[in-house]
């Protein structure tokens, strides 16, 4: 058989091996992470004949298998352990000494959560009649995808009207640090350590490093975060990031700011030798640690997909270039999620997946307000934000007002008594129209609370709209209401 290959020079014909299926599809989705599996289900719901290709052996991508889901399971479990060890006596609960930690059982519980969700996607595929192809996808033309089965069988080529690339991202690696997932680990290895290390160095003070560093710090590790920049939590509002760092330092996490790790190598004592120096060079510091977590970000995964061979254009960072309808330079091939520009967030990928397939059915449909996509760091307290930061508004020359309310003045926070003085809700509004431009929260439930502001941004609500909306009492959400009142008038309780 032969397949079409579209390149910059035009259309040619090259020979290829692989068995061609006799049934044409409307859509083949490469990748079954949040962007891919959601797109596949939505396409099937819209009446398309859909196949979704995944080589991992389980559905859900990085997020469900070695990312968002297992990390949240460990964050929850480690928080409960930390509360049992340090935070119960003030409530009149005496556990009679230090609680016993069973790391193996904690990991078993984490794996149960992952298994339940990944198998749930298989059920949804069957329910919606999405064909699940277990194998590695390779785009072989504008309308064909070759799948090499994970069981080693003969590759098959599927003819399809549309192709959606949703293959996600991979761990960004650094020179001088060979990840073995035992002592020098990525997020994957950090989710499965068999015991609590005495010491851990986290390379990178972003979301992943702070979350997983918090897990092992709560369980007893001495954690040091080495961050190249002058602030942690890249993308967060400067004021929020500064307060967040103070809280983490109170929890025992140390920070080396404006610094970089030059190398991390295994030593003979089953530890890791680490060399650290200032961002601009200078004197080097040599330390030993039990575990190094490399968490400096992720890169789009396009390896062996055949995109270059068929002429799909990538940008200078290896991301697939798309237009406003998620189309590549080859109109029948679209891309969404971590392989395209924008924040590498599961919920961003899901929205793109739905919008992309809606656009296949109706070219006028399918759009995303990227300004209303939230970010959350699931530490304790959580940090969440949506829309513009204060530094962005300053850089853009936008005149704005600030409304802020501390959670220590919130009645529900006081009754629960599990907050830090640095926790607050901050809303940024247009100085003339009062329309909400951004919102930022530090609180134990910030990830849940931020959704109210996501709706506000989507519908261009003003601070007064929220400030005059009745919120239940006593609830943490009253802090959102009062921060908005603070922006256009005055709050009641501070």
């Amino acid at each position: 058989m032969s397949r079409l290959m579209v390149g910059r020079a035009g259309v040619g014909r090259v020979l290829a091996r692989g068995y061609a299926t006799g049934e044409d599809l409307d859509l083949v989705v490469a990748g079954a992470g949040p962007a891919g599996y959601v797109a596949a289900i939505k396409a099937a719901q819209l009446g398309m004949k859909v196949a979704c290709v995944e080589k991992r052996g389980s559905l859900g991508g990085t997020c469900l298998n070695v990312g968002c889901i297992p990390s949240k399971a460990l964050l929850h479990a480690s928080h409960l352990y930390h509360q049992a060890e340090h935070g119960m006596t003030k409530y009149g609960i005496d556990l009679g000494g230090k609680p016993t930690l069973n790391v193996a059982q904690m990991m078993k519980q984490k794996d149960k959560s992952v298994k339940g969700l990944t198998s749930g996607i298989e059920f949804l595929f069957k329910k919606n009649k999405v064909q699940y192809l277990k194998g590695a996808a390779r785009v072989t033309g504008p309308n064909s995808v070759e799948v090499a089965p994970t069981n080693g069988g003969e590759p098959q080529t599927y003819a399809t009207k549309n192709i959606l690339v949703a293959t996600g991202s991979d761990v960004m690696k650094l020179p001088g640090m060979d990840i073995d997932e035992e002592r020098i680990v990525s997020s994957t290895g950090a989710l499965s350590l068999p015991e609590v290390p005495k010491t851990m160095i986290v390379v990178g003070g972003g979301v992943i490093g702070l979350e997983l560093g918090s897990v092992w710090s709560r369980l007893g590790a001495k954690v040091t975060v080495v961050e190249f920049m002058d602030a942690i939590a890249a993308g967060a509002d400067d004021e929020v990031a500064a307060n967040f760092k103070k809280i983490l330092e109170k929890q025992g996490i140390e920070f080396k700011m404006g610094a970089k790790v030059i190398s991390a190598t295994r030593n003979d004592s089953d530890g890791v030798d680490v060399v650290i120096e200032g961002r601009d060079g200078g004197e080097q510091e040599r330390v030993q640690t039990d575990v190094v977590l490399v968490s400096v970000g992720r890169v789009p995964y396009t390896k062996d997909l055949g995109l270059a061979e068929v002429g799909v254009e990538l940008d200078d960072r290896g991301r697939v270039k798309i237009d406003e309808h998620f189309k590549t330079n080859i109109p029948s091939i679209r891309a969404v999620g971590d392989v395209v520009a924008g924040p590498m967030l599961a919920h961003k990928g899901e929205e793109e997946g739905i919008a992309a397939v809606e656009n296949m059915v109706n070219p006028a449909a399918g759009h995303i307000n990227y300004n209303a996509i939230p970010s959350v760091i699931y530490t304790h307290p959580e940090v969440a934000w949506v829309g513009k930061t204060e530094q962005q508004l300053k850089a853009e020359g936008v005149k704005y007002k600030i409304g802020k309310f501390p959670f220590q003045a919130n009645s529900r926070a006081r009754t629960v008594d599990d907050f830090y003085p640095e926790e607050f809700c901050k809303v940024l509004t247009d100085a003339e129209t009062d329309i909400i431009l951004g919102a930022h929260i530090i609180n134990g439930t910030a990830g849940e609370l931020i959704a109210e502001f996501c709706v506000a941004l989507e519908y261009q609500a003003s601070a007064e709209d929220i400030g005059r909306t009745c919120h239940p009492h006593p609830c943490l959400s009253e802090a959102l209401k009062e921060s908005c009142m603070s922006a256009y008038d005055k709050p009641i309780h501070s």
Side-chain angles (χ1 to χ4, degrees), residues 74 77 101-112 194:
L74 291 183
L101 177 63
N102 186 334
V103 175
Q105 176 57 37
M106 189 175 288
M107 294 298 170
K108 184 178 178 181
Q109 174 65 23
K110 173 206 68 175
D111 294 341
K112 177 185 175 184

Side-chain angles (χ1 to χ4, degrees), residues 364-376:
H367 74 282
I368 295 174
N369 178 3
Y370 285 96
N371 192 50
I373 293 177
S375 295
V376 183

Side-chain angles (χ1 to χ4, degrees), residues 23-28 47-50 141-145 158-164 327 330-334 360:
E23 184 178 22
D24 285 357
L25 296 162
D26 294 309
L27 173 64
V28 171
M48 295 187 192
K49 190 177 295 182
V50 186
N143 302 103
S144 61
V145 176
Y158 293 82
T160 178
K161 295 177 184 176
N162 299 282
I163 298 168
L164 183 63
K327 292 181 180 180
I330 301 175
S332 59
I333 303 176
R334 290 173 168 84
M360 294 175 194

Side-chain angles (χ1 to χ4, degrees), residues 61-72:
T62 295
C63 176
L64 266 72
N65 289 276
V66 289
C68 318
I69 299 306
S71 64
K72 303 311 165 283

Side-chain angles (χ1 to χ4, degrees), residues 173-186 262-266 272 292 294:
K173 298 178 175 62
L174 290 176
M177 283 169 265
D178 294 329
I179 295 174
D180 58 19
E181 302 298 13
E182 293 178 352
R183 292 294 178 181
I184 304 174
V185 301
S186 68
I262 300 299
S263 65
T265 54
R266 293 282 294 265
V272 184
V292 171
V294 181

Side-chain angles (χ1 to χ4, degrees), residues 200-281:
M200 171 183 280
I201 289 179
V202 177
V203 186
V207 175
I208 297 172
L210 297 176
E211 287 186 352
L212 293 177
S214 290
V215 167
W216 294 106
S217 174
R218 295 169 188 170
L219 299 179
K222 180 61 180 175
V223 174
T224 302
V225 176
V226 181
E227 170 55 44
F228 186 80
M229 304 302 289
D230 294 324
I232 63 171
D237 183 88
D238 284 347
E239 182 183 14
V240 170
N243 278 32
F244 183 35
K245 180 171 175 284
K246 290 178 183 178
I247 293 172
L248 294 177
E249 287 172 332
K250 288 181 179 181
Q251 295 174 358
I253 296 178
E254 292 187 358
F255 291 90
K256 293 182 179 294
M257 306 301 295
K260 57 187 177 182
V261 173
I262 300 299
S263 65
T265 54
R266 293 282 294 265
N267 58 36
D268 295 336
S269 58
D270 203 26
V272 184
D273 294 325
V274 181
V275 179
I276 304 170
E277 71 175 23
R279 180 173 53 209
D280 301 318

